[in-house]
Amino acid sequence: MEYSKNYTVADGHIDVQGIMDGLYYPFYMEECRHDYIREVLGFDFVEQAENGVFMVLSEYSIKFIRSLKKDDNFDVTCAVFTDAKGLPRLHFKQSIIKNGKTMATGVFTGTCIPATGGRPYLPEELKANFGDAPALEI
């Protein structure tokens, strides 16, 4: 299932060239991804942290295709994939789209770890909410 949220480029995110600074693309992707994880996958970061479960990123990559500018309105999409190797991690494919044109794409990989330290894992209640997600071949 693909999820989407709409945003408008904030004035403070524009650099001296009149385009959105590159560091804000993952910022908007993160905001969308966190909402997806909470609303669709049922994983509440605050509640889980209080229960000793941290969801963390282990890697990400972004491809910049076109630049966003001041006041641009755009959508950020998010879809979850399991790990093709069976590792305890999730992959989130995301895109930033303006007027039907892809501005940037990214893949964010994350897992859960115990707050006290230990090996990565995916909680059973989280697994139940993405069970039919396809595997991502990287």
Side-chain angles (χ1 to χ4, degrees):
M1 169 188 158
E2 188 171 81
Y3 177 86
S4 180
K5 300 244 356 185
N6 185 264
Y7 302 92
T8 300
V9 174
D11 289 350
H13 297 171
I14 301 301
D15 67 15
V16 297
Q17 302 173 93
I19 59 176
M20 188 165 81
D21 191 301
L23 70 92
Y24 290 105
Y25 290 78
F27 169 84
Y28 286 107
M29 289 175 168
E30 177 182 60
E31 190 169 314
C32 177
R33 187 175 60 256
H34 281 200
D35 287 347
Y36 174 84
I37 290 167
R38 185 181 63 255
E39 294 172 18
V40 177
L41 298 183
F43 186 95
D44 184 293
F45 285 92
V46 174
E47 179 183 304
Q48 293 295 327
E50 290 170 354
N51 291 328
V53 179
F54 292 168
M55 183 179 277
V56 296
L57 285 178
S58 56
E59 63 183 280
Y60 70 87
S61 64
I62 294 179
K63 180 178 180 182
F64 299 97
I65 301 164
R66 296 175 181 88
S67 297
L68 289 166
K69 297 179 178 132
K70 181 180 176 187
D71 298 327
D72 277 352
N73 187 270
F74 61 96
D75 295 310
V76 179
T77 66
C78 185
V80 68
F81 293 80
T82 59
D83 190 76
K85 296 178 184 173
L87 296 172
R89 58 188 185 176
L90 294 175
H91 306 282
F92 299 91
K93 285 181 77 172
Q94 295 191 255
S95 296
I96 293 179
I97 301 168
K98 179 187 148 202
N99 298 329
K101 293 185 178 181
T102 301
M103 308 302 279
T105 61
V107 176
F108 294 77
T109 300
T111 190
C112 292
I113 57 171
T116 56
R119 301 199 51 82
Y121 73 104
L122 295 174
E124 292 303 318
E125 60 272 17
L126 178 60
K127 285 183 186 180
N129 293 329
F130 67 80
D132 58 347
L136 181 66
E137 298 288 338
I138 298 180

